[in-house]
Amino acid sequence: MAATVVRGQNVDIRMWTRPDEVEEFAMRQLQNISALPWAVKHIAVMPDVHYGKGATVGSVIALRDAVSPAAVGVDIGCGMTAVRTSLTASDLPETLRGLRSRMEAVVPVGFGQHRATAFTERDASDWAAFWRKFDDLTPAVKARADKALHQMGTLGGGNHFLEVCLDTDQRVWVMLHSGSRGIGNELAQHHISVARTLAHNAELPDPDLAVFLAGTPEMAAYRHDLYWAQDYARRNRAVMLRLVCDVMRAEFPQILFEEPISCHHNYVAEETHFGEDVLVTRKGAIRAGRGELGIIPGSMGTGSYIVRGLGNPDSFESASHGAGRRMSRNKARKTFTEQDLAAQTSGVECRKDAGVVDEIPGAYKDIDTVMANQSDLVEVVAKLKQVVCIKG
């Protein structure tokens, strides 16, 4: 669909969804974002848009010489990784419970962490240099070094997941969704708090939209910590993927893996749009430059898409990061039961208890509608349906 233009305050708002389908609080946030004096051209709103802290989830914001840490989100570098295997559905056992259990045994979920460090030279060759940079992060996180070490290669909770999927050709894929874990969250919270204290943010309509300005020590400190956390998130997914692929190799000795696809969807990038060098924040959005591969997941009982970007300039070459929530976690818990969860995840080997009812497919927007709304942003490469889903 073509974007709908809504008049903003400093810049307009381009939406790849119907404005009347956006919740009131999220629309108010978008208006607040459009008032930022550093905003360039317009705000791009993805079809999975929903309310978030400071900035809406599903928003793409290009700022001139400024960046808002809340427009990145607290899970810095959160994103997706997927890999297609040589297996087909016929290679999988009749029951997948054992495979799920072995994967859960190697990848800690929820608040879990590894007892010993899980990363190896197979994941990256520069671990020593990467960890040395921890000492240069803000002193506010210095006590978290050991936790960061042992959370490397862990899934977390909430909407993070690890899945085994089948595409429409019955090929088996491994896919996972996670970010920078506790260390990324603490870095984000620290810098959001710092930004709120700066004088140039005093008149903003929402204090959580506070920005750092180019050329200031606060901006330099944030970007230093931000890029480290984005790297942490990328490495975290790589370690988990290797751990899970090792399980698959042990289970299926004949298996081969193609080149993984990986993308952030909570991050900052230095890019050029409409002839201007800008800092782009994608919060709940992936980069979808022409020809670039990306991953757009649905919910734990529906399916996901591998996509190729079309490079639409009006979206700042972006697309949605998933289906997007249509109700809060609290409302989902009050609305749905364990029986509803079992029904909506029928055929998927996964948790079906009260602890994950807030992740039920009914709490999310329809992924196929989301995809239809962004047909001018991406083209579909493959549609996946999970047969195993692991959540914290």
Side-chain angles (χ1 to χ4, degrees):
M1 65 176 284
T4 299
V5 179
V6 175
R7 183 170 296 280
Q9 298 183 54
N10 182 46
V11 295
D12 286 339
I13 304 165
R14 285 185 174 267
M15 310 183 72
W16 275 262
T17 188
R18 289 172 46 186
D20 61 355
E21 293 182 350
V22 179
E23 59 196 304
E24 179 184 352
F25 288 126
M27 187 62 80
R28 193 178 304 160
Q29 282 187 324
L30 292 170
Q31 285 291 340
N32 288 341
I33 296 167
S34 77
L36 293 175
W38 309 277
V40 171
K41 197 67 176 179
H42 55 259
I43 308 302
V45 180
M46 301 298 100
D48 58 342
V49 61
H50 58 280
Y51 179 77
K53 180 179 174 63
T56 46
V57 179
S59 58
V60 183
I61 307 165
L63 297 183
R64 181 185 300 108
D65 296 328
V67 67
S68 169
V72 181
V74 295
D75 192 357
I76 298 172
C78 186
M80 302 284 303
T81 298
V83 63
R84 188 167 76 159
T85 79
S86 59
L87 300 180
T88 63
S90 61
D91 294 313
L92 298 177
E94 185 173 341
T95 176
L96 295 168
R97 182 161 297 178
L99 181 61
R100 173 189 160 199
S101 295
R102 284 185 280 280
M103 289 181 172
E104 289 174 332
V106 298
V107 176
V109 302
F111 293 106
Q113 57 188 42
H114 292 283
R115 293 182 179 178
T117 54
F119 51 91
T120 72
E121 294 297 311
R122 293 171 60 196
D123 309 310
S125 60
D126 58 345
W127 285 109
F130 171 75
W131 288 114
R132 279 197 299 271
K133 293 178 183 176
F134 189 95
D135 292 336
D136 297 327
L137 300 177
T138 174
V141 301
K142 286 297 173 66
R144 302 302 188 187
D146 188 68
K147 182 179 179 182
L149 279 167
H150 291 90
Q151 281 195 328
M152 176 63 74
T154 65
L155 189 66
N159 63 352
H160 293 166
F161 62 78
L162 165 61
E163 292 182 341
V164 177
C165 306
L166 300 176
D167 64 21
T168 52
D169 294 327
Q170 298 299 288
R171 287 284 290 273
V172 175
W173 291 66
V174 175
M175 184 167 67
L176 58 88
H177 171 206
S178 191
S180 52
R181 306 297 290 110
I183 187 63
N185 185 298
E186 291 198 36
L187 287 169
Q189 298 284 8
H190 167 76
H191 287 289
I192 289 172
S193 297
V194 170
R196 288 171 61 114
T197 68
L198 301 178
H200 61 260
N201 292 314
E203 302 302 320
L204 293 181
D206 181 352
D208 283 329
L209 282 176
V211 305
F212 294 120
L213 299 180
T216 64
E218 293 86 2
M219 170 72 102
Y222 175 62
R223 291 180 68 176
H224 173 273
D225 291 358
L226 169 88
Y227 292 141
W228 184 89
Q230 288 180 182
D231 192 20
Y232 184 104
R234 178 185 61 80
R235 291 166 183 264
N236 183 45
R237 291 192 293 272
V239 173
M240 281 189 286
L241 184 65
R242 190 259 307 162
L243 291 169
V244 172
C245 287
D246 283 350
V247 170
M248 296 289 281
R249 287 189 184 95
E251 193 79 9
F252 310 100
Q254 78 279 18
I255 193 172
L256 297 173
F257 297 95
E258 297 185 0
E259 189 69 21
I261 301 165
S262 187
C263 57
H264 290 322
H265 54 227
N266 281 14
Y267 74 111
V268 175
E270 301 171 34
E271 297 178 359
T272 302
H273 293 280
F274 301 101
E276 188 166 357
D277 294 335
V278 291
L279 286 169
V280 176
T281 55
R282 294 183 175 93
K283 182 177 181 178
I286 63 171
R287 180 170 167 83
R290 181 166 294 279
E292 293 181 349
L293 293 176
I295 308 164
I296 302 178
S299 60
M300 64 186 289
T302 54
S304 302
Y305 287 88
I306 306 297
V307 299
R308 183 179 291 110
L310 297 178
N312 190 319
D314 286 339
S315 71
F316 299 106
E317 300 188 359
S318 307
S320 78
H321 84 313
R325 295 194 72 90
R326 70 180 184 90
M327 65 174 66
S328 69
R329 295 186 181 279
N330 284 337
K331 184 175 181 181
R333 294 186 193 102
K334 293 175 182 177
T335 303
F336 297 106
T337 65
E338 292 178 56
Q339 290 73 29
D340 296 325
L341 177 63
Q344 293 185 29
T345 58
S346 177
V348 181
E349 174 56 46
C350 64
R351 287 180 61 183
K352 301 178 190 285
D353 57 84
V356 292
V357 164
D358 57 347
E359 281 293 299
I360 191 170
Y364 283 82
K365 297 178 182 180
D366 178 69
I367 183 62
D368 293 321
T369 300
V370 168
M371 294 303 298
N373 286 350
Q374 57 185 336
S375 59
D376 61 337
L377 306 183
V378 293
E379 60 182 2
V380 174
V381 174
K383 183 175 182 179
L384 312 183
K385 176 67 173 69
Q386 65 270 77
V387 290
V388 175
C389 178
I390 295 169
K391 280 188 171 289

